[in-house]
């Protein structure tokens, strides 16, 4: 197997968010929710904490944005809320995700 | 144990950065966070490469733990102040680990690295080295650690707390949603385990909720305070967070962390597994 399996088995911590999708990720099966956190003036926000909340508002996962403000979750099809916390303020957005790649940006501090 | 002895605030931590007899330790899954900036004077521990055996699935033994802390410059009498990313999951795991090997004075920084960053408190770069010590560990305190046979025996008789996300509990996901889902595991949970995701115990800035809020959360979930408790997750670090809440903040007796957790249980041949949102029957 590839390094993907190693990451999955070894840890619950988030992989590097700026890395390209790991080899072996099957977008026909995975529901990937990805995007960029931006400030109200449009700048990418590095080091924001992005929380994925399920359709009942329950916490599901959290990652920290990359130097380019990127985040990524492996979820399931359905309704999710992305909530970003940062020194510049917070922001959230409710999204509908399908299988495959779902790209949503979140603005903080508005 | 109680909140006063097990937890310190970020304010306390910042005021005591240079205090004698206090060692700050950042614990992460990957140390790039530490390398990008850490609390001044903090040493780093990698929860896996430093604290787990490189070959077998088990912890470093007593002698290895002694060698590790001696080399990193931690003394038996030091107050060890732990913090880390992921809402202190790995710091809580290290806390449990220090307790397992009998360290007397160890605390978590409430909110960990997240609150520290969101508060815009200072972080510094650079290597930290401390003079070597001669650290002496105790034998593992197995009243804190559950193994698979006692977990199976606990079905229907003890409190089992599954602290993973609701979708992992129900078997709809096999891992937290920031990780790929491919895995050889069976999905689901241990029969009679109640679902109390670790995140219920934390505010969104990573700090722990109040004792009253915490008691209500576990009481409402059906945890019987008269029974012993075993907490588990997928690999034992999120359940360290809940173990910390139940044992160290709320002072409950006889709480164990099952570090084998779902990656072991979900791979066992012949054990019962329940799918869906209900605990199920023994």
């Amino acid at each position: 197997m590839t390094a993907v399996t190693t990451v999955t088995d070894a840890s619950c911590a988030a992989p590097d968010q700026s890395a390209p999708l790991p080899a072996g990720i099957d977008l026909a099966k995975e529901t990937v929710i990805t995007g960029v956190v931006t400030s109200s003036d449009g700048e990418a926000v590095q080091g924001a904490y992005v929380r994925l909340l399920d359709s009942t508002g329950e916490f599901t996962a959290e990652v920290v944005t990359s130097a380019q403000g990127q985040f990524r979750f492996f979820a399931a099809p359905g309704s999710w809320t992305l909530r970003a916390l940062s020194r510049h303020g917070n922001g959230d957005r409710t999204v509908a995700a399908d299988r495959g790649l779902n790209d949503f940006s979140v603005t903080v501090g508005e | 144990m109680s909140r006063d002895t097990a937890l310190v605030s970020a304010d306390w931590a910042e005021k005591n950065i240079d205090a004698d007899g206090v060692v700050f330790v950042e614990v992460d899954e990957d140390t790039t966070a530490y390398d990008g900036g850490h609390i001044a004077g903090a040493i780093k521990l990698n929860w896996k490469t430093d604290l787990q055996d490189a070959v077998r699935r088990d912890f470093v033994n007593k002698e290895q733990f002694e060698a590790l802390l001696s080399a990193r410059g931690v003394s038996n009498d030091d107050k060890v102040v732990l913090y880390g990313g992921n809402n202190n999951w790995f710091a809580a795991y290290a806390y449990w680990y220090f307790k397992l090997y009998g360290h007397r004075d160890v605390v978590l920084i409430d909110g960990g690295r997240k609150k520290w960053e969101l508060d815009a408190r200072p972080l510094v770069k650079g290597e930290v080295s401390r003079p070597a010590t001669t650290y002496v560990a105790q034998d593992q305190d197995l009243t804190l650690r559950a193994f698979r046979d006692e977990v199976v025996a606990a079905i229907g008789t003890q409190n089992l707390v599954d602290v993973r996300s609701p979708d992992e509990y129900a078997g709809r996901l096999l891992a937290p949603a920031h990780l790929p889902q491919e895995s050889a595991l069976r999905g689901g949970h241990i029969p009679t385990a109640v679902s109390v995701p670790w995140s219920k115990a934390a505010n969104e800035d990573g700090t722990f909720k109040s004792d009253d809020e915490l008691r209500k959360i576990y009481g409402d979930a059906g945890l019987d305070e008269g029974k012993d408790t075993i907490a588990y997750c997928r690999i034992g670090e999120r359940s360290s967070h809940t173990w910390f809440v139940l044992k160290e903040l709320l002072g409950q007796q006889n709480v164990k962390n099952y570090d084998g957790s779902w990656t072991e249980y979900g791979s066992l041949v012949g054990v019962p597994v329940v799918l869906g949102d209900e605990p199920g029957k023994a």
Side-chain angles (χ1 to χ4, degrees):
Chain A
M1 298 300 292
T2 64
V4 175
T5 310
T6 309
V7 169
T8 308
D9 289 346
S11 159
C12 276
D16 179 3
Q17 298 299 301
S18 63
L21 270 184
I25 296 298
D26 184 352
L27 284 175
K29 292 181 183 164
E30 298 275 355
T31 301
V32 179
I33 299 175
T34 185
V36 174
V37 175
T38 54
S39 61
S40 51
D41 55 10
E43 296 285 317
V45 178
Q46 176 184 7
Y49 286 82
V50 184
R51 297 162 72 80
L52 182 70
L53 312 178
D54 72 15
S55 57
T56 69
E58 192 63 61
F59 174 90
T60 301
E62 179 180 274
V63 296
V64 182
T65 55
S66 70
Q68 292 77 39
Q70 296 157 311
F71 62 88
R72 182 173 64 226
F73 296 103
F74 297 89
S79 175
W80 301 90
T81 297
L82 296 163
R83 175 159 175 77
L85 312 177
S86 82
R87 294 182 196 180
H88 308 285
N90 305 331
D92 49 63
R93 178 175 181 185
T94 299
V95 302
D98 295 317
R99 232 172 272 286
L101 203 58
N102 299 266
D103 200 341
F104 300 106
S105 288
V106 181
T107 307
V108 294
E110 282 189 311
Chain B
M1 295 303 297
S2 72
R3 188 170 289 255
D4 296 338
T5 51
L7 199 62
V8 296
S9 67
D11 276 338
W12 182 94
E14 194 170 350
K15 289 190 181 104
N16 284 275
I17 280 178
D18 296 321
D20 287 339
V22 176
V23 181
F24 285 79
V25 183
E26 177 162 338
V27 189
D28 286 315
E29 188 273 342
D30 102 51
T31 48
T32 57
Y34 175 96
D35 297 339
H38 54 78
I39 294 179
I43 59 171
K44 64 180 170 184
L45 282 182
N46 183 307
W47 86 294
K48 188 170 179 219
T49 57
D50 286 330
L51 298 178
Q52 296 187 16
D53 190 280
V55 179
R56 301 184 310 136
R57 182 170 176 194
D58 204 347
F59 300 153
V60 294
N61 64 28
K62 180 169 172 282
E63 290 71 28
Q64 291 169 306
F65 189 66
E66 288 174 337
L68 172 72
L69 293 194
S70 298
R72 302 291 167 89
V74 179
S75 301
N76 285 83
D77 294 333
D78 283 335
K79 183 183 195 73
V80 172
V81 180
L82 298 165
Y83 74 99
N86 290 81
N87 293 278
N88 267 340
W89 288 352
F90 298 98
Y93 176 86
Y95 180 102
W96 172 69
Y97 209 104
F98 273 83
K99 286 289 183 185
L100 201 66
Y101 278 123
H103 193 83
R104 280 183 294 273
D105 193 357
V106 53
V107 293
L108 277 187
I109 301 178
D110 201 12
R113 194 178 166 95
K114 176 160 69 171
K115 178 165 175 55
W116 194 275
E117 289 182 4
L118 292 174
D119 288 352
R121 295 176 194 271
L123 294 168
V124 301
K125 289 189 182 183
E127 292 291 313
V128 174
S129 66
R130 300 173 54 84
T133 62
T134 306
Y135 189 90
V136 179
Q138 308 299 309
D139 288 329
Q140 280 193 21
D141 178 357
L142 294 181
T143 66
L144 308 181
R145 189 181 185 196
F147 295 94
R148 61 177 179 269
D149 290 346
E150 59 189 305
V151 171
V152 173
I155 294 172
T157 62
Q158 293 186 22
N159 295 316
L160 287 165
V161 188
D162 187 316
V163 315
R164 297 173 298 161
S165 62
D167 282 341
E168 292 173 85
Y169 177 83
R172 290 185 288 268
L173 291 180
L174 287 167
H178 57 254
L179 293 172
Q181 297 297 315
E182 180 187 359
S183 173
L185 292 177
R186 297 307 172 102
H189 60 266
I190 302 173
T192 71
V194 297
S195 169
V196 187
W198 70 273
S199 54
K200 297 258 192 207
N203 299 307
E204 71 178 9
D205 67 359
T207 56
F208 291 101
K209 290 183 177 164
S210 71
D211 288 355
D212 287 344
E213 289 172 304
L214 293 171
R215 276 194 201 92
K216 181 169 180 4
I217 287 164
Y218 295 100
D220 288 353
L223 227 65
D224 181 346
E225 286 202 38
K227 291 183 178 176
D228 295 352
T229 299
I230 296 172
Y232 74 92
C233 59
R234 194 175 71 107
I235 51 172
E237 80 321 9
R238 285 177 286 179
S239 48
S240 300
H241 187 276
T242 296
W243 173 88
F244 180 86
V245 169
L246 293 173
K247 184 109 180 18
E248 304 297 281
L249 296 185
L250 298 182
Q252 292 185 12
Q253 301 298 310
N254 303 325
V255 184
K256 290 187 177 186
N257 181 25
Y258 172 36
D259 56 283
S261 273
W262 195 257
T263 52
E264 176 176 77
Y265 192 96
S267 301
L268 291 175
V269 174
V271 295
V273 171
V274 172
L275 289 173
D277 298 308
E278 298 302 321
K281 297 202 182 332

